[in-house]
Amino acid sequence: YEIASCLVGSEMCIRDRDSAVLLTMLVDIIGQRRDVEIISGCIDEGIDGYRSPSLELARELADSLGIRFETLSYEEIGYDRMDNVVKKMDIIGENNPDAKGMMPCSYCGVFRRQGINSLAEKVGADIMALGHNLDDMAQSIIMNFQKGNIERSVRLAPHTDDPIEGLAPRVVPLRWIPEQEIHAHAIFSNLPIHHGDCPHAPGAMRQLSRRIIADMETITPGSRHGLLHSLDQIRKLHKEVNPTKSEIKNCEKCGEITSRKICQACTMKRWLEENYGLSDINLVDHSGLNDQSTISSNSMVKILLDNKMQTQVKPILKKIPYRQKRGQAIFDGETQRKSGNCIAGRRERTQHFQIF
């Protein structure tokens, strides 16, 4: 007999408990079959303080179940860490109209999908089992409907009835299970799960859709199931109207499957690799301290840039008064300025310099 490999992971930013519950259930149901190998997979996006503890707990769970654990980072597949991507987003948006207004999740979602494909190829997976729950599916549906993107909706997993050539088909066993029930099961089973939230998620469209779905479910119980049923009906009608499959292309840059000449991942990668602004910065010290200065010019530039990347730097106002020859400061006093043979008397105010 041949051994079928099943990779358990996620291609969207879902909570770890979903994948943890899915993994334990698959191990309980088919883990003893000799013709199936279950592999736990996780993508490392490069988010400090968030992904590292999650990876450790995922590895701990896989070890406790006797399951092979594999991970793949964005850097290993040629992308930048998400923390670095976020720092570059403002300048990318200013120089690329298509990137203007994009949130971190826009980049992360694209890179994560490529990552899970690469991980499936790395382990030779025949099936990808994703931990998306009912709330995740309803949110994705409403997001695509908001954009009028029916094509993207019908391409949502599962792909068991209409697999995409060249990709391991995705299955979503938990797609009919509400998020609250999965959370309750994870707590009851004492699963090792990370409870932190992604620091880059606030403001993302999915966060807004999460609130909309929660409100809809409160007002009309069953709304989440109704959205998913609607999508399944739309998928059937779409297939009847379009009996031939859409043409699947390979990206001219990376070879990944895409619907365009250059995939979105490669487009975003190009944005990140482009150089903007000045190629070099120098700061000259006019303080008069010279070697006695406690910080070098280059260090000052580095500090300002690093802080600018992390948060909006508040303007620094510093009063620099004119001084007499003996060093005494002149505040709103009379000064003389010689120009050739002319002596011009005028009132000079304290100068203000602003650093951003």
Side-chain angles (χ1 to χ4, degrees):
Y1 55 85
E2 294 184 357
I3 298 178
S5 297
C6 175
L7 176 66
V8 182
S10 170
E11 64 176 5
M12 73 169 66
C13 186
I14 65 171
R15 297 182 184 274
D16 299 315
R17 58 174 176 255
D18 302 306
S19 295
V21 168
L22 175 60
L23 178 62
T24 55
M25 286 186 168
L26 287 177
V27 170
D28 288 341
I29 296 170
I30 60 175
Q32 298 302 314
R33 290 183 53 165
R34 292 180 294 174
D35 60 342
V36 174
E37 180 188 14
I38 300 175
I39 303 168
S40 175
C42 194
I43 303 298
D44 183 1
E45 307 94 340
I47 303 174
D48 289 341
Y50 171 69
R51 183 48 67 194
S52 294
S54 174
L55 283 173
E56 290 305 314
L57 292 172
R59 189 184 303 275
E60 177 186 331
L61 177 61
D63 290 343
S64 68
L65 296 171
I67 298 299
R68 174 180 163 193
F69 180 78
E70 293 285 347
T71 184
L72 199 64
S73 69
Y74 279 1
E75 293 140 303
E76 289 178 279
I77 53 178
Y79 306 127
D80 206 346
R81 292 169 51 85
M82 270 309 299
D83 284 343
N84 294 333
V85 172
V86 172
K87 293 176 182 178
K88 301 174 183 177
M89 281 177 50
D90 287 344
I91 189 92
I92 291 175
E94 292 173 6
N95 290 276
N96 292 279
D98 292 339
K100 192 174 183 64
M102 280 189 174
M103 301 297 292
C105 295
S106 301
Y107 291 86
C108 197
V110 172
F111 296 162
R112 175 180 279 273
R113 280 190 289 275
Q114 293 283 40
I116 199 73
N117 289 339
S118 299
L119 186 56
E121 184 178 355
K122 174 184 175 182
V123 302
D126 300 292
I127 294 285
M128 284 188 279
L130 308 177
H132 306 166
N133 60 49
L134 177 62
D135 294 71
D136 296 323
M137 298 300 296
Q139 292 158 19
S140 296
I141 293 167
I142 205 76
M143 287 164 63
N144 290 334
F145 282 176
Q146 284 177 286
K147 299 176 182 178
N149 199 333
I150 300 299
E151 287 290 335
R152 189 165 184 174
S153 291
V154 298
R155 291 201 303 267
L156 289 173
H159 301 145
T160 47
D161 293 335
D162 195 16
I164 300 173
E165 186 178 352
L167 285 180
R170 291 158 165 78
V171 296
V172 263
L174 302 181
R175 74 182 191 127
W176 291 105
I177 311 300
E179 184 178 61
Q180 303 96 317
E181 294 184 21
I182 293 175
H183 191 192
H185 179 85
I187 294 174
F188 179 78
S189 303
N190 291 318
L191 298 180
I193 54 176
H194 179 52
H195 295 281
D197 291 322
C198 176
H200 305 312
M205 187 176 183
R206 182 167 290 277
Q207 299 297 317
L208 175 61
S209 298
R210 183 188 301 276
R211 292 193 293 270
I212 292 173
I213 294 298
D215 290 342
M216 289 174 61
E217 187 67 24
T218 300
I219 298 169
T220 310
S223 296
R224 295 169 297 184
H225 291 85
L227 282 169
L228 195 48
H229 276 298
S230 297
L231 175 61
D232 286 346
Q233 293 299 318
I234 291 172
R235 203 194 305 265
K236 290 179 182 178
L237 294 172
H238 185 272
K239 194 171 182 178
E240 291 176 7
V241 175
N242 302 278
T244 57
K245 291 184 178 181
S246 301
E247 183 183 359
I248 300 297
K249 303 175 184 177
N250 292 94
C251 175
E252 295 180 357
K253 293 285 186 181
C254 67
E256 285 287 337
I257 292 175
T258 181
S259 58
R260 57 181 79 180
K261 291 178 65 177
I262 306 297
C263 71
Q264 184 69 359
C266 285
T267 301
M268 290 179 167
K269 186 178 179 181
R270 175 177 59 80
W271 293 343
L272 291 165
E273 290 174 345
E274 288 175 342
N275 294 317
Y276 299 111
L278 299 174
S279 60
D280 190 22
I281 298 176
N282 285 308
L283 185 67
V284 180
D285 183 4
H286 292 290
S287 68
L289 296 175
N290 298 324
D291 294 339
Q292 298 179 22
S293 178
T294 57
I295 185 170
S296 69
S297 301
N298 288 337
S299 295
M300 176 61 79
V301 171
K302 185 177 185 305
I303 290 170
L304 291 173
L305 289 177
D306 287 347
N307 279 279
K308 175 67 174 176
M309 293 299 187
Q310 295 173 15
T311 182
Q312 185 67 34
V313 178
K314 295 181 180 179
I316 303 171
L317 296 177
K318 182 179 179 182
K319 293 183 178 181
I320 306 177
Y322 285 105
R323 294 182 180 275
Q324 296 176 344
K325 289 182 178 180
R326 287 173 291 182
Q328 185 178 359
I330 303 173
F331 293 98
D332 298 328
E334 291 288 335
T335 62
Q336 284 190 335
R337 182 178 59 186
K338 290 185 178 182
S339 175
N341 296 324
C342 242
I343 298 179
R346 70 188 186 104
R347 196 173 187 81
E348 294 286 352
R349 298 188 65 82
T350 301
Q351 302 298 299
H352 296 76
F353 291 84
Q354 195 169 10
I355 302 174
F356 292 92

